[in-house]
Amino acid sequence: WWGFGLFALGSLSASRREISDLIFIDEAVTLTPMLLFMVATWWSIYPLELRIREALLMRELNDASGAPVHPPLSRWQYVSSNVRHQAMLFLAPLSLMTAWQETMVMQLGPWLRDTMPASSVWLAPLVEYAGIIGVLVTCPAIIRRIWDTVEIGPGPLRDQMRAMCRQYGVRVRGPLLWRTHGSMVNGAILGVFWPLRYMLLSDALLERLNSEQVEAVMAHEVAHVRRRHLVWLAVCVVSSVLLLAAVMAGVIEGLNVTSVSPDVLSVIMGLLGIAGAGTVFGAVSRRFEWQADAFAVQHLTRTRSADAQKGSGAVTAASVQVMASALQSVADLNGIDPERFTWRHGSVRERQRRLATLIDRPVNALPIDRQVRIIKVAAIVGIVVSLMPMLMAMLNLNGASL
């Protein structure tokens, strides 16, 4: 209903009519009902979460490892944690980008156009895009504060994590302890660019997993940075959208469609673009997860095998077992069914099966690495092919003008 009110009934325009077009204030008013709905949902399901947490307490008390036992979160703590970790993850960057764009449109942009010469008309959009990029780059520093993180002090854990990052040329801040009151078993590297890139280890991860499993989880996260998965994921999605748009334009031109209005065609192309981009995003993202799992196995093998350190040797069963058990522990402790499929990560069971196929393979020549290389080459080729008609048209125009 909120989406219907926003897109069909014009709730944002109504807010602007009532309170005027203030920078981000009208957007915040429009967004408030959805945020309140999310808060009300978390508030209402808290009794169910509490019953589950209380049921798990007996298992934790009987755990022979002696791991710390956290008290159940209060209702307010539960709602606050969800707001910080879920809502603010997208609200913080979205709010800052919206505020920056409105500042450019309403204040900074007109000032630049009035004070700069006509030949510098390109400066305003350049400043706007630079501001958006600045928001995306600096948001990890804001999110790490919202998520309640603190620096891990000197000790073997910090030394081990920093040594791993140095080994693979990955620069991060931290590692940071991600305090979740024992409610989340997770590790992450937050941010794209140094020095605003942080390594996070949740409290439950450190309490419930052994040192080898923690090392495997963080090697997986280091792999995403080392292999530049986020950048290549964006390249693959852009390539798929451009290719699909070029194909659709060719089909429309070839069929000489005139009975359908341009607006309907735009909607159809937009929906097909979303479907195509979503399909590529999921397929590529899952393969990047498989490569990150394989990277963790490679790391464990190299650090424990003299042959692997020299560039030879094979993946060991022990390394695969550590990574597979880490995935199982994370799934069990987070209450995730290992067979459950997710669009971005696939299922834990599928990832474990793929890990098992790596045993005794050459540590420096794994199939998933070749597969990812093919994906990257295909993405670049797709962008070049989709842009060829536009480049040819530009060359023809230049030739005609000469």
Side-chain angles (χ1 to χ4, degrees):
W1 279 112
W2 178 82
F4 180 76
L6 178 65
F7 297 109
L9 303 180
S11 59
L12 179 58
S13 299
S15 297
R16 286 172 176 167
R17 285 196 303 268
E18 295 297 326
I19 62 176
S20 75
D21 193 5
L22 302 174
I23 294 177
F24 187 64
I25 300 301
D26 49 325
E27 286 83 2
V29 170
T30 305
L31 191 62
T32 297
M34 174 54 73
L35 181 58
L36 290 177
F37 174 76
M38 295 167 66
V39 169
T41 302
W42 290 319
W43 182 273
S44 67
I45 66 174
Y46 170 76
L48 301 177
E49 296 289 341
L50 181 61
R51 289 295 298 272
I52 294 172
R53 182 76 186 98
E54 289 172 342
L56 291 174
L57 275 176
M58 185 57 68
R59 184 178 72 180
E60 294 179 2
L61 290 170
N62 290 330
D63 187 356
S65 67
V69 176
H70 295 270
L73 299 178
S74 68
R75 200 169 204 158
W76 168 249
Q77 287 175 322
Y78 175 76
V79 173
S80 175
S81 176
N82 279 285
V83 169
R84 292 200 314 272
H85 294 121
Q86 297 189 48
M88 294 307 296
L89 181 60
F90 68 88
L91 281 179
L94 182 63
S95 301
L96 290 172
M97 284 191 289
T98 301
W100 172 252
Q101 286 182 310
E102 287 205 307
T103 301
M104 283 296 304
V105 170
M106 298 166 58
Q107 295 184 1
L108 191 54
W111 177 82
L112 286 172
R113 287 190 292 270
D114 292 340
T115 57
M116 300 298 292
S119 59
S120 301
V121 67
W122 53 268
L123 186 60
L126 179 64
V127 172
E128 180 178 356
Y129 292 138
I132 293 174
I133 294 173
V135 168
L136 295 176
V137 170
T138 57
C139 252
I142 299 172
I143 295 296
R144 65 148 293 201
R145 299 294 180 183
I146 295 174
W147 281 5
D148 187 15
T149 61
V150 294
E151 189 90 20
I152 293 178
L157 176 65
R158 188 172 77 169
D159 294 342
Q160 181 188 35
M161 294 298 105
R162 290 186 173 180
M164 182 194 301
C165 292
R166 286 195 300 270
Q167 179 181 351
Y168 297 108
V170 173
R171 301 185 69 186
V172 297
R173 303 283 293 275
L176 306 177
L177 175 63
W178 184 5
R179 296 185 290 196
T180 68
H181 304 282
S183 62
M184 190 181 303
V185 182
N186 202 0
I189 292 182
L190 188 66
V192 179
F193 302 105
W194 166 266
L196 299 177
R197 185 165 58 208
Y198 304 89
M199 175 183 285
L200 276 61
L201 303 167
S202 75
D203 45 13
L205 179 79
L206 299 180
E207 294 164 359
R208 297 291 172 179
L209 272 62
N210 61 43
S211 60
E212 284 190 323
Q213 291 173 329
V214 171
E215 183 181 0
V217 170
M218 293 319 300
H220 173 100
E221 299 300 332
V222 166
H224 287 312
V225 180
R226 173 70 176 176
R227 304 300 188 195
R228 296 178 175 84
H229 284 163
L230 186 61
V231 174
W232 279 106
L233 188 59
V235 171
C236 291
V237 170
V238 169
S239 176
S240 66
V241 171
L242 291 176
L243 272 176
L244 189 58
V247 171
M248 285 295 298
V251 170
I252 292 172
E253 183 179 353
L255 296 177
N256 194 20
V257 178
T258 57
S259 59
V260 182
S261 69
D263 291 339
V264 174
L265 286 176
S266 297
V267 171
I268 293 174
M269 291 184 66
L271 292 175
L272 288 174
I274 293 173
T279 301
V280 170
F281 177 86
V284 174
S285 177
R286 292 191 293 273
R287 280 151 182 81
F288 284 172
E289 291 298 321
W290 301 342
Q291 188 184 38
D293 291 342
F295 182 95
V297 169
Q298 290 170 314
H299 165 76
L300 294 171
T301 299
R302 291 190 185 106
T303 56
R304 291 157 176 78
S305 169
D307 290 338
Q309 291 174 2
K310 298 175 183 177
S312 60
V315 172
T316 63
S319 299
V320 169
Q321 173 59 29
V322 170
M323 186 62 204
S325 66
L327 290 172
Q328 187 67 47
S329 296
V330 170
D332 292 342
L333 294 169
N334 283 320
I336 299 173
D337 181 0
E339 300 289 349
R340 190 182 77 184
F341 175 85
T342 64
W343 194 247
R344 277 199 60 199
H345 296 87
S347 70
V348 169
R349 192 68 73 225
E350 174 65 18
R351 291 166 66 179
Q352 290 174 326
R353 283 194 288 266
R354 289 183 174 276
L355 284 172
T357 65
L358 302 181
I359 297 175
D360 293 333
R361 288 185 176 272
V363 71
N364 292 326
L366 298 184
I368 186 59
D369 291 331
R370 292 194 296 271
Q371 188 176 357
V372 168
R373 283 195 294 270
I374 293 172
I375 290 173
K376 293 177 178 179
V377 171
I380 296 297
V381 171
I383 291 177
V384 172
V385 169
S386 61
L387 294 179
M388 282 300 293
M390 183 178 67
L391 293 175
M392 294 299 295
M394 291 174 62
L395 290 174
N396 289 336
L397 287 175
N398 290 335
S401 64
L402 292 174

